[in-house]
Amino acid sequence: MPPIHTIPGRWRARCALTGVLAAVAVLCGMLPAGARTGLNWLTLPSLPTARYDVASAAAPCPRGQTGSCLYAVGGYNNGNLATVESYNRSSNTWSLLPHLPSARSSLGAAAAPCPDGLSGTCLYALGGSGGSRSVNFFNPAVNSWGSTTSLTTGRAAFGTASAPCPTGQTGTCVYVFGGIGTTVLASAEVFNPVTRSWTTLSPLSAPRYNLGAASAPCPPGQTGTCVYAVGGSDDNNHVVGTVEAYNPVTRSWSKVASLPTPREGLGVAATGCPPGQQGVCLYTTGGANETDVVDTAESYHPASGLWTSLPSLPAPRGYAGAAALPCPPGSTGNCVYFAGGYRDGGPAATLEALDPPVTTGR
C-alpha cells in the first residue's frame, strides 16, 4: 500500500479541511476468538460500478421488485459519481437506477418514511463532498428522486442512521452527526420526514469525521433504541476508537466501550448477534488505521457492553457501504453486507456479506 496520503478518505478529507482551513486500542471486554464459530463471509456479485466513499442502506426494492434491497449511492471513481445501484438478494442481481440529482461522494444514506405526505419508505441521500447541504430522497414505489429540506450544516464524511425521533417528536427520523464542513464537526442534527424540518441536537463529545453509524439497542443501563457513532478520525487527523450512543429519549450522548481496533472509513450495521449472544448487535467491518486499509471485523453487544472479534474480511477494504438485510438464497436470517470501497490502491466493486447464524431479532 502506498503512503497514508493515498488512502482516499483521509487524504481527500484532509485536503477539504486544509482548503478551508496512533490511537490506542481498548481491549477490555473483548471476547475470545472462540466466539467466531458459526460466522462466514459470502462473496456475491460485484457492483456494476466500482467506487469508494459510497453510501449504502437497506430499503424497499425498486418498482417491479419485492422485498428489501441493498442500495449503493454515489461515491468516487476518477471523480464524484451520481450512480445509484440496488442489489436484490432474492435474485442475486444488481439493477441500475436513476442517478442522483447531483454527483457526490462521502455522503450519507438512510431509509425512513417518505416526506411530503408520500406513503411508504424512501431512501435518503444526504450531504457529501464539498460540504453539500443537499437532501434527496428516492421513492422506490415510483423509481424517482425528489428533494427536501437541506441540512442545517453542510458536511461530508459524517455518520447517519435512522432511529426513533427524539423526545417531543414521533415516528422515525434521520440522524446526522460529525463529518467535515468548514472544519471537522461535532455537531448533530435530526430530520423529521413528517414536518420536513431539521432539529439541532447535542453534539458529539469531540469532532470526528470518516466515522460509522447505525441504530441498535441502547447500552447497559438504558432502554430503547440508540444511534451509535463509531470510530473515525479527530480534528488532528488521528484515528480514534471512540464509540458514543445517542439516546433519543434523554436527548443525550454517552460513551460506551471503545473499538478494540480503532479505525476510520469503517462500515457499521446492526442485526442479530453472533453465537453465544442474544438480541441485536452492532457490526463493524473494514476501514483504515493510520497507514492502511484493514480487514478487521468486530461486533458490539449492547446488553453486555462487550466487543467480539469476528472473522476477518477476505481482503482489506475500507470506505465502503454497509447495511444489514436478509441474506441471499442459501443462507438464513440477516446478513451484514459490505459494498464497494477502496483496496489495492483503487476503487473496488466487491460485495461480501457476513452471515451470522439466526438469533433473536429486534
Side-chain angles (χ1 to χ4, degrees):
M1 184 73 185
I4 182 67
H5 64 267
T6 61
I7 294 180
R10 297 186 64 75
W11 176 243
R12 291 172 56 230
R14 287 179 184 181
C15 285
L17 179 59
T18 302
V20 293
L21 277 168
V24 178
V26 180
L27 297 177
C28 298
M30 192 71 176
L31 294 183
R36 299 181 181 186
T37 305
L39 295 93
N40 61 287
W41 284 97
L42 310 172
T43 300
L44 302 171
S46 296
L47 283 75
T49 307
R51 47 199 151 141
Y52 55 81
D53 286 345
V54 57
S56 287
C61 291
R63 186 179 59 195
Q65 303 177 33
T66 59
S68 295
C69 282
L70 173 72
Y71 287 80
V73 183
Y76 191 91
N77 185 339
N78 294 318
N80 292 326
L81 300 175
T83 306
V84 182
E85 296 157 343
S86 65
Y87 169 75
N88 186 315
R89 41 78 55 188
S90 297
S91 62
N92 205 27
T93 58
W94 284 92
S95 299
L96 179 63
L97 302 175
H99 279 25
L100 276 169
S102 61
R104 52 199 202 265
S105 58
S106 299
L107 67 165
C114 296
D116 301 334
L118 299 171
S119 61
T121 298
C122 284
L123 174 74
Y124 288 81
L126 309 101
S129 46
S132 172
R133 295 180 57 226
S134 296
V135 179
N136 304 110
F137 62 93
F138 177 78
N139 188 337
V142 295
N143 274 16
S144 66
W145 286 95
S147 298
T148 189
T149 312
S150 298
L151 287 159
T152 303
T153 303
R155 62 185 81 208
F158 54 93
T160 186
S162 57
C165 295
T167 298
Q169 303 180 32
T170 58
T172 299
C173 285
V174 179
Y175 291 77
V176 167
F177 40 87
I180 287 182
T182 56
T183 184
V184 180
L185 302 170
S187 62
E189 50 189 306
V190 63
F191 176 74
N192 188 318
V194 174
T195 61
R196 298 179 59 204
S197 62
W198 287 92
T199 301
T200 300
L201 303 175
S202 301
L204 295 164
S205 63
R208 280 190 276 162
Y209 68 96
N210 278 339
L211 65 165
S215 60
C218 292
Q222 303 180 42
T223 59
T225 298
C226 283
V227 176
Y228 288 81
V230 185
S233 286
D234 63 19
D235 51 2
N236 291 313
N237 295 316
H238 294 148
V239 174
V240 298
T242 306
V243 182
E244 296 175 82
Y246 181 83
N247 189 321
V249 175
T250 62
R251 296 177 69 112
S252 62
W253 292 93
S254 58
K255 286 189 176 182
V256 302
S258 295
L259 275 168
T261 308
R263 50 211 148 108
E264 65 155 41
L266 68 169
V268 180
T271 191
C273 293
Q277 299 173 0
Q278 294 295 312
V280 170
C281 282
L282 200 66
Y283 288 77
T284 64
T285 53
N289 55 26
E290 296 280 353
T291 58
D292 210 344
V293 290
V294 298
D295 59 7
T296 306
E298 296 158 343
S299 66
Y300 173 76
H301 186 217
S304 64
L306 298 177
W307 284 93
T308 299
S309 177
L310 303 176
S312 298
L313 283 162
R317 192 154 49 104
Y319 311 99
L325 68 158
C327 295
S331 299
T332 57
N334 277 3
C335 281
V336 177
Y337 292 79
F338 199 51
Y342 184 86
R343 62 174 289 188
D344 299 329
T350 307
L351 175 64
E352 290 161 338
L354 182 65
D355 180 16
V358 176
T359 60
T360 304
R362 289 196 189 191

